[in-house]
PDB file of all heavy atoms in Angstrom:
ATOM      1  N   MET A 263     -96.453-174.951-169.284  1.00 82.00           N
ATOM      2  CA  MET A 263     -95.994-174.933-170.697  1.00 82.00           C
ATOM      3  C   MET A 263     -95.498-176.233-171.073  1.00 82.00           C
ATOM      4  O   MET A 263     -95.050-176.498-172.328  1.00 82.00           O
ATOM      5  CB  MET A 263     -94.871-173.911-170.848  1.00 82.00           C
ATOM      6  CG  MET A 263     -93.742-174.037-169.683  1.00 82.00           C
ATOM      7  SD  MET A 263     -92.397-173.027-169.998  1.00 82.00           S
ATOM      8  CE  MET A 263     -91.517-173.856-171.297  1.00 82.00           C
ATOM      9  N   ILE A 264     -95.434-177.276-170.209  1.00 80.00           N
ATOM     10  CA  ILE A 264     -94.907-178.675-170.482  1.00 80.00           C
ATOM     11  C   ILE A 264     -95.849-179.574-169.924  1.00 80.00           C
ATOM     12  O   ILE A 264     -96.417-179.366-168.814  1.00 80.00           O
ATOM     13  CB  ILE A 264     -93.569-178.816-170.015  1.00 80.00           C
ATOM     14  CG1 ILE A 264     -92.528-177.853-170.653  1.00 80.00           C
ATOM     15  CG2 ILE A 264     -93.059-180.243-170.271  1.00 80.00           C
ATOM     16  CD1 ILE A 264     -91.146-177.978-170.101  1.00 80.00           C
ATOM     17  N   GLY A 265     -96.098-180.738-170.591  1.00 78.00           N
ATOM     18  CA  GLY A 265     -97.048-181.630-170.071  1.00 78.00           C
ATOM     19  C   GLY A 265     -98.528-181.361-170.200  1.00 78.00           C
ATOM     20  O   GLY A 265     -99.033-181.259-171.303  1.00 78.00           O
ATOM     21  N   THR A 266     -99.140-180.995-169.185  1.00 77.00           N
ATOM     22  CA  THR A 266    -100.491-180.384-169.163  1.00 77.00           C
ATOM     23  C   THR A 266    -100.404-178.888-169.469  1.00 77.00           C
ATOM     24  O   THR A 266    -100.107-178.098-168.591  1.00 77.00           O
ATOM     25  CB  THR A 266    -101.210-180.648-167.863  1.00 77.00           C
ATOM     26  OG1 THR A 266    -101.128-182.007-167.435  1.00 77.00           O
ATOM     27  CG2 THR A 266    -102.563-180.257-167.854  1.00 77.00           C
ATOM     28  N   ILE A 267    -100.597-178.619-170.799  1.00 85.00           N
ATOM     29  CA  ILE A 267    -100.199-177.291-171.337  1.00 85.00           C
ATOM     30  C   ILE A 267    -101.432-176.393-171.104  1.00 85.00           C
ATOM     31  O   ILE A 267    -102.611-176.710-171.302  1.00 85.00           O
ATOM     32  CB  ILE A 267     -99.835-177.448-172.738  1.00 85.00           C
ATOM     33  CG1 ILE A 267     -98.599-178.226-172.963  1.00 85.00           C
ATOM     34  CG2 ILE A 267     -99.598-176.024-173.371  1.00 85.00           C
ATOM     35  CD1 ILE A 267     -98.244-178.523-174.430  1.00 85.00           C
ATOM     36  N   GLY A 268    -101.152-175.114-170.712  1.00 87.00           N
ATOM     37  CA  GLY A 268    -102.132-173.995-170.705  1.00 87.00           C
ATOM     38  C   GLY A 268    -102.919-173.944-169.389  1.00 87.00           C
ATOM     39  O   GLY A 268    -103.854-173.116-169.481  1.00 87.00           O
ATOM     40  N   GLU A 269    -102.653-174.740-168.474  1.00 89.00           N
ATOM     41  CA  GLU A 269    -103.325-174.578-167.236  1.00 89.00           C
ATOM     42  C   GLU A 269    -102.885-173.294-166.431  1.00 89.00           C
ATOM     43  O   GLU A 269    -101.678-173.001-166.554  1.00 89.00           O
ATOM     44  CB  GLU A 269    -103.131-175.836-166.275  1.00 89.00           C
ATOM     45  CG  GLU A 269    -103.913-177.055-166.877  1.00 89.00           C
ATOM     46  CD  GLU A 269    -105.353-176.993-166.628  1.00 89.00           C
ATOM     47  OE1 GLU A 269    -105.852-176.155-165.864  1.00 89.00           O
ATOM     48  OE2 GLU A 269    -106.071-177.858-167.316  1.00 89.00           O
ATOM     49  N   VAL A 270    -103.838-172.686-165.741  1.00 89.00           N
ATOM     50  CA  VAL A 270    -103.495-171.410-165.091  1.00 89.00           C
ATOM     51  C   VAL A 270    -103.730-171.566-163.607  1.00 89.00           C
ATOM     52  O   VAL A 270    -104.717-172.090-163.135  1.00 89.00           O
ATOM     53  CB  VAL A 270    -104.290-170.254-165.727  1.00 89.00           C
ATOM     54  CG1 VAL A 270    -104.016-168.952-164.964  1.00 89.00           C
ATOM     55  CG2 VAL A 270    -104.081-170.043-167.217  1.00 89.00           C
ATOM     56  N   ALA A 271    -102.848-170.825-162.873  1.00 88.00           N
ATOM     57  CA  ALA A 271    -103.034-170.756-161.391  1.00 88.00           C
ATOM     58  C   ALA A 271    -102.465-169.431-160.910  1.00 88.00           C
ATOM     59  O   ALA A 271    -101.683-168.796-161.511  1.00 88.00           O
ATOM     60  CB  ALA A 271    -102.297-171.948-160.585  1.00 88.00           C
ATOM     61  N   ARG A 272    -103.129-168.963-159.858  1.00 85.00           N
ATOM     62  CA  ARG A 272    -102.695-167.635-159.234  1.00 85.00           C
ATOM     63  C   ARG A 272    -102.074-167.873-157.845  1.00 85.00           C
ATOM     64  O   ARG A 272    -102.610-168.685-157.090  1.00 85.00           O
ATOM     65  CB  ARG A 272    -103.967-166.702-159.104  1.00 85.00           C
ATOM     66  CG  ARG A 272    -103.540-165.371-158.546  1.00 85.00           C
ATOM     67  CD  ARG A 272    -104.733-164.448-158.638  1.00 85.00           C
ATOM     68  NE  ARG A 272    -104.502-163.024-158.078  1.00 85.00           N
ATOM     69  CZ  ARG A 272    -104.647-162.679-156.915  1.00 85.00           C
ATOM     70  NH1 ARG A 272    -105.150-163.493-156.115  1.00 85.00           N
ATOM     71  NH2 ARG A 272    -104.313-161.409-156.592  1.00 85.00           N
ATOM     72  N   VAL A 273    -100.980-167.263-157.649  1.00 86.00           N
ATOM     73  CA  VAL A 273    -100.260-167.427-156.377  1.00 86.00           C
ATOM     74  C   VAL A 273    -100.953-166.507-155.378  1.00 86.00           C
ATOM     75  O   VAL A 273    -100.972-165.280-155.499  1.00 86.00           O
ATOM     76  CB  VAL A 273     -98.784-166.972-156.488  1.00 86.00           C
ATOM     77  CG1 VAL A 273     -98.027-167.149-155.187  1.00 86.00           C
ATOM     78  CG2 VAL A 273     -98.045-167.776-157.655  1.00 86.00           C
ATOM     79  N   LYS A 274    -101.674-167.108-154.386  1.00 83.00           N
ATOM     80  CA  LYS A 274    -102.519-166.454-153.426  1.00 83.00           C
ATOM     81  C   LYS A 274    -101.681-165.785-152.337  1.00 83.00           C
ATOM     82  O   LYS A 274    -101.906-164.754-151.919  1.00 83.00           O
ATOM     83  CB  LYS A 274    -103.565-167.303-153.036  1.00 83.00           C
ATOM     84  CG  LYS A 274    -104.565-167.740-154.095  1.00 83.00           C
ATOM     85  CD  LYS A 274    -105.660-168.671-153.562  1.00 83.00           C
ATOM     86  CE  LYS A 274    -106.611-169.082-154.622  1.00 83.00           C
ATOM     87  NZ  LYS A 274    -107.655-169.895-154.155  1.00 83.00           N
ATOM     88  N   ASN A 275    -100.694-166.531-151.874  1.00 74.00           N
ATOM     89  CA  ASN A 275     -99.796-166.000-150.791  1.00 74.00           C
ATOM     90  C   ASN A 275     -98.442-166.756-150.889  1.00 74.00           C
ATOM     91  O   ASN A 275     -98.200-167.632-151.645  1.00 74.00           O
ATOM     92  CB  ASN A 275    -100.425-166.115-149.410  1.00 74.00           C
ATOM     93  CG  ASN A 275    -100.727-167.619-149.087  1.00 74.00           C
ATOM     94  OD1 ASN A 275     -99.777-168.385-148.986  1.00 74.00           O
ATOM     95  ND2 ASN A 275    -102.038-167.879-148.987  1.00 74.00           N
TER      96      ASN A 275
END
Side-chain angles (χ1 to χ4, degrees):
M263 52 173 283
I264 298 175
T266 307
I267 299 172
E269 289 288 344
V270 178
R272 182 170 182 266
V273 180
K274 297 180 178 179
N275 58 62

